[in-house]
Amino acid sequence: MKKIFRYFIQGIIILAPIVVTVGALYWLFNKVDSILRPYLNIPGLGFIIIVLFVILVGWISSNFLMGSFISFFDQWMERTPVIKFIYSSTKDFFESFAGDKKKFGKAVLANVFAEDVWIIGFLTDEEMEKFEMGGEKVAVYVPQAYNFAGQLYILPREKVRKIDSITSGVAMKYAVTGGVVDLDAERNKHELRSDHTTP
């Protein structure tokens, strides 16, 4: 019985991440595909069209004239009451993960609750004078484990240490999984990837 139970647990460990990943990808695919389903009832075609449309918008926005038009549209949206809150918040959220305004690129250890208690976070703003708190305070975003939520802390600079030994991606993975990620294995993966991409 002990062996059977051990095999059962081992099976769950192998299958659970696969099932969750496949389920999440299927949910995303289905959601995107269903946008055009009332007009195109061919499974997968709606998804392909929307992905191609997003790529096309990205390509067009790189063009100078269209870039100017998108910039004008962007300014108009950000000046419209009510809409500007939703639009600017969504835009800032997505830009914090990618693009020129990427915010989660500086992983840090933050001393928040007690002298010897440190949590993993991301330095998102190094200037707090806008809140009349002086230049010695910084903003640190701390993600929650197994959750899309998080907390923002404003701390003195001396209570924040930059992490140089691991990438910000590995730090995020470590934080959101509650510390169960093998950092050495992740570091080795990153080094192998770097070796393959280096000419």
Side-chain angles (χ1 to χ4, degrees), residues 163-178:
I163 303 172
D164 296 319
S165 56
I166 58 173
T167 65
S168 57
V170 173
M172 178 68 87
K173 202 173 184 182
Y174 188 82
V176 298
T177 58

Side-chain angles (χ1 to χ4, degrees), residues 7 10 15 27 31 35 44 47-48 71 92 112 183:
Y7 293 150
Q10 188 66 28
L15 290 173
W27 178 85
K31 280 285 180 188
I35 294 169
F47 180 83
I48 292 166
S71 179
D92 289 345
V112 180
L183 288 181

Side-chain angles (χ1 to χ4, degrees), residues 74-143:
D74 187 55
Q75 288 174 12
W76 179 76
M77 289 290 279
E78 291 194 357
R79 288 176 184 168
T80 309
V82 182
I83 292 173
K84 70 177 179 181
F85 175 76
I86 301 165
Y87 178 77
S88 61
S89 299
T90 307
K91 184 185 170 192
D92 289 345
F93 175 77
F94 281 101
E95 283 185 343
S96 66
F97 287 97
D100 298 332
K101 296 181 181 178
K102 191 173 179 182
K103 290 286 187 181
F104 297 123
K106 297 176 184 175
V108 295
L109 288 170
N111 180 215
V112 180
F113 305 110
E115 191 178 339
D116 294 323
V117 178
W118 295 83
I119 53 178
I120 291 177
F122 296 87
L123 192 64
T124 55
D125 196 346
E126 295 195 56
E127 187 273 302
M128 288 288 106
E129 288 181 7
K130 52 185 159 285
F131 296 120
E132 299 180 2
M133 300 186 77
E136 290 308 307
K137 294 281 198 301
V138 294
V140 176
Y141 175 78
V142 177

Side-chain angles (χ1 to χ4, degrees), residues 21 32 42-43 57 61 67 73 95 97 110 124 139-140 148 155 164 168 179 187 189-190 199:
T21 305
V32 174
I42 303 170
V57 169
S61 68
F73 176 76
E95 283 185 343
F97 287 97
T124 55
V140 176
F148 289 106
L155 303 168
D164 296 319
S168 57
R187 196 181 289 116
K189 273 188 212 171
H190 180 71

